[in-house]
Amino acid sequence: MGQKISGSIKSVDVRGEPSYRPVRRELRGPDFCRPPRLDLLLDMPPATSETQLRHAWNPDDRSLNVFVKEDDKLTFHRHPVAQSTDCIRGKVGYTRGLHVWRIHWPARQRGTHAVVGVATAEAPLHSVGYTALVGSDSESWGWDLGRNRLYHDGKNRPVSMSAPTYPCFLEPDESFVLPDSLTVILDMDEGTLSFMVDGQYLGVAFRGLKGKRLYPIVSAVWGHCEVAIRYVNGLDPEPLPLMDLCRRVARLALGRERIHHIDTLPLPQTLKNYLQYQ
């Protein structure tokens, strides 16, 4: 099983000028198979506003150069401090289950080092200079959105060894052009961290995360940038009830075009409500 990836790819021609072209590639292998549990989670109603606030940025676990906005508790603002890299962690550390959240980070506010990922409570939250702080040591794992590179324990990586490219299907002269939002997928039962962009699953970025308590984290360098986190939902590791699995199968059978017309089906109202998560 695989999936086809289509998106915006930037490559550099022989004159050194960037050009944009669509790409459509079929990705195969276990790292690119979109997990069924992820599809099930994304089909569920999104988390309530109260749940999103419980999983928002932590105003007490941040660099002093960033602050959580009073009028929007899901968004932090970074002060325009020169030669500084600053992080903030989420409120909740995850040890089990599947957890998905969306990061909204306008592309024009990312600057030279914009990294999204997860970290333990021991990962540093500030560094002098501009650097990919998330992924710089053994306590964090991050995706550099500008360089399309993955970082973990970067300070101990041999100079001769470059950081892995992500998404890994990119050619040496290509970069993946990200929109303003991306989705982070942390599966603590499998011990993996993955990402999605525009509904497209980009594959596993990191493995070996089992047995840790990991928090959402970003590191930023752009003055006045604002980054929002929105918890989508979570799934416990226990097997799902048969009724939930049957609902998923029924919704898949209806398809995207008919999913919004459940009320017109010749079914008891109770069953219609259940199919609509009501």
Side-chain angles (χ1 to χ4, degrees):
M1 295 283 296
Q3 68 161 336
K4 290 185 177 180
I5 290 290
S6 60
S8 180
I9 293 290
K10 181 175 70 173
S11 60
V12 180
D13 62 19
V14 293
R15 297 167 296 178
E17 298 178 353
S19 61
Y20 295 85
R21 58 184 174 80
V23 63
R24 189 171 183 84
R25 298 168 184 169
E26 188 167 0
L27 306 179
R28 296 184 178 276
D31 281 356
F32 297 110
C33 292
R34 185 157 151 167
R37 291 177 72 226
L38 174 59
D39 284 329
L40 182 62
L41 184 151
L42 295 176
D43 188 55
M44 296 165 55
T48 64
S49 298
E50 292 77 11
T51 300
Q52 290 178 5
L53 285 174
R54 286 200 302 270
H55 294 260
W57 298 125
N58 190 344
D60 299 319
D61 196 8
R62 59 180 172 85
S63 164
L64 295 180
N65 295 327
V66 304
F67 65 91
V68 176
K69 299 180 68 176
E70 284 294 329
D71 59 346
D72 182 2
K73 299 295 187 181
L74 303 181
T75 302
F76 79 79
H77 182 103
R78 180 183 179 274
H79 294 298
V81 180
Q83 292 299 316
S84 176
T85 301
D86 305 287
C87 297
I88 186 170
R89 265 185 288 261
K91 292 179 180 177
V92 179
Y94 307 110
T95 59
R96 62 197 295 269
L98 175 66
H99 301 274
V100 177
W101 61 91
R102 291 196 177 98
I103 297 291
H104 181 79
W105 193 341
R108 66 182 182 279
Q109 297 182 11
R110 291 175 187 163
T112 57
H113 296 80
V115 190
V116 174
V118 295
T120 69
E122 286 72 39
L125 297 177
H126 173 261
S127 177
V128 175
Y130 300 134
T131 184
L133 186 52
V134 175
S136 63
D137 66 5
S138 61
E139 302 297 327
S140 59
W141 297 255
W143 180 21
D144 188 319
L145 305 184
R147 293 171 178 78
N148 303 131
R149 297 285 183 175
L150 298 175
Y151 298 123
H152 171 60
D153 203 13
K155 64 184 180 183
N156 292 319
R157 187 177 62 249
V159 178
S160 59
M161 183 183 299
S162 60
T165 299
Y166 185 86
C168 68
F169 59 76
L170 293 176
E171 299 294 336
D173 63 339
E174 295 176 336
S175 62
F176 193 75
V177 183
L178 275 81
D180 290 345
S181 297
L182 65 144
T183 302
V184 186
I185 303 133
L186 178 63
D187 190 336
M188 292 306 298
D189 304 320
E190 294 293 330
T192 61
L193 180 67
S194 310
F195 299 90
M196 286 178 57
V197 173
D198 285 338
Q200 297 174 336
Y201 183 69
L202 300 181
V204 174
F206 295 101
R207 294 186 178 276
L209 306 181
K210 279 186 179 182
K212 306 178 186 300
R213 181 180 295 276
L214 298 177
Y215 300 78
I217 193 172
V218 301
S219 63
V221 299
W222 188 265
H224 293 304
C225 74
E226 294 191 345
V227 183
I229 185 172
R230 191 173 300 275
Y231 187 72
V232 176
N233 226 321
L235 277 178
D236 290 332
E238 289 78 13
L240 291 168
L242 182 59
M243 286 180 62
D244 288 359
L245 295 175
C246 290
R247 173 170 53 191
R248 172 62 178 159
V249 172
R251 288 174 63 90
L252 282 174
L254 287 169
R256 292 183 179 180
E257 294 181 358
R258 295 185 295 170
I259 197 68
H260 302 295
H261 302 286
I262 292 177
D263 281 329
T264 65
L265 296 176
L267 297 172
Q269 188 60 46
T270 302
L271 185 52
K272 294 179 185 179
N273 293 343
Y274 187 72
L275 288 174
Q276 298 179 89
Y277 289 95
Q278 295 177 355

